Amino acid sequence: MTPRSTLSPTPPATLTLVMAAVAQAIIAGLTLGFAADVSPWRDPVSDYAWHRGGRFLFATAVVLLLAAAAALAIAAHLAALPRTPAVSTLFLLWTAGLVVVLLFRSNVSAADPTASGEIHRAGGAVLFASLPLAAWALSTRLRTDTRWLAAAAALRRSAVAGVVTAAAFGSAQIVDGLPAGLLERLALLAEFLIIASTATALRRAVR
């Protein structure tokens, strides 16, 4: 058994929740504030970066998610969270996807693709797929440890939401008529639920 640290996972887990919630609130604010320019029904979230003020807020949301990922990793280490190499690899892929989305701007129009835009799309595909899969794999691992049974159940539910919404958003990339923008925002909300479920489990680990 991995020895538990004398430091509490509560502060970094709480910080994770706060930063992820602020990032989600920024996306919600952009959705409402730029509704006249960026359709929440059909346009991707990254389109906010092409409008005055939107680029900074979009980048801030992504940076907050990256910081939340770092805090979550620290909390997991302090709580001696059981995990497998597959979980760690998928989590790293998720953070790599966030970095790619941050550094490479999206296409101005789907009809006019650019190298940067296609890299951005690939990064988005990785981040939407990897976190739900990481959550599913982690919940499977936690179900073998009685200390983490409650966390496993909550994480499995959020993982299912993540897989379903990510699959729906992926389908919208090849099926005309599906509300790609709405499905992407639902997938982002599911990712927030995964982060929140994991951070909450780590906060409770000290009890």
Side-chain angles (χ1 to χ4, degrees):
M1 179 180 293
T2 304
R4 296 187 63 188
S5 169
T6 57
L7 298 177
S8 171
T10 300
T14 300
L15 190 59
T16 297
L17 283 170
V18 171
M19 291 188 292
V22 172
Q24 188 65 34
I26 290 174
I27 298 300
L30 287 170
T31 299
L32 295 174
F34 287 85
D37 302 302
V38 179
S39 170
W41 183 261
R42 66 175 184 274
D43 294 331
V45 171
S46 53
D47 274 12
Y48 296 123
W50 293 105
H51 297 273
R52 178 181 289 273
R55 172 66 177 172
F56 173 77
L57 290 172
F58 174 75
T60 299
V62 177
V63 169
L64 282 170
L65 285 176
L66 284 168
L72 189 63
I74 293 171
H77 174 72
L78 294 176
L81 180 71
R83 52 195 181 277
T84 64
V87 171
S88 299
T89 299
L90 287 166
F91 186 77
L92 286 174
L93 284 173
W94 176 65
T95 57
L98 286 171
V99 171
V100 169
V101 165
L102 178 64
L103 296 181
F104 294 89
R105 299 189 76 173
S106 62
N107 293 314
V108 178
S109 169
D112 186 23
T114 63
S116 175
E118 294 308 294
I119 294 173
H120 177 95
R121 287 188 64 188
V126 169
L127 75 88
F128 280 119
S130 55
L131 187 61
L133 291 177
W136 182 276
L138 179 58
S139 69
T140 300
R141 172 63 182 86
L142 296 183
R143 290 170 71 180
T144 65
D145 190 325
T146 55
R147 178 174 170 238
W148 296 95
L149 284 178
L155 194 57
R156 177 61 62 95
R157 289 191 293 270
S158 62
V160 170
V163 169
V164 170
T165 54
F169 176 53
S171 298
Q173 307 307 303
I174 56 177
V175 179
D176 291 336
L178 291 178
L182 175 63
L183 293 173
E184 181 183 18
R185 286 159 178 80
L186 290 176
L188 282 172
L189 179 60
E191 297 224 332
F192 168 72
L193 293 176
I194 291 172
I195 296 170
S197 296
T198 308
T200 300
L202 295 173
R203 279 161 53 96
R204 293 173 176 169
V206 298
R207 299 177 184 173

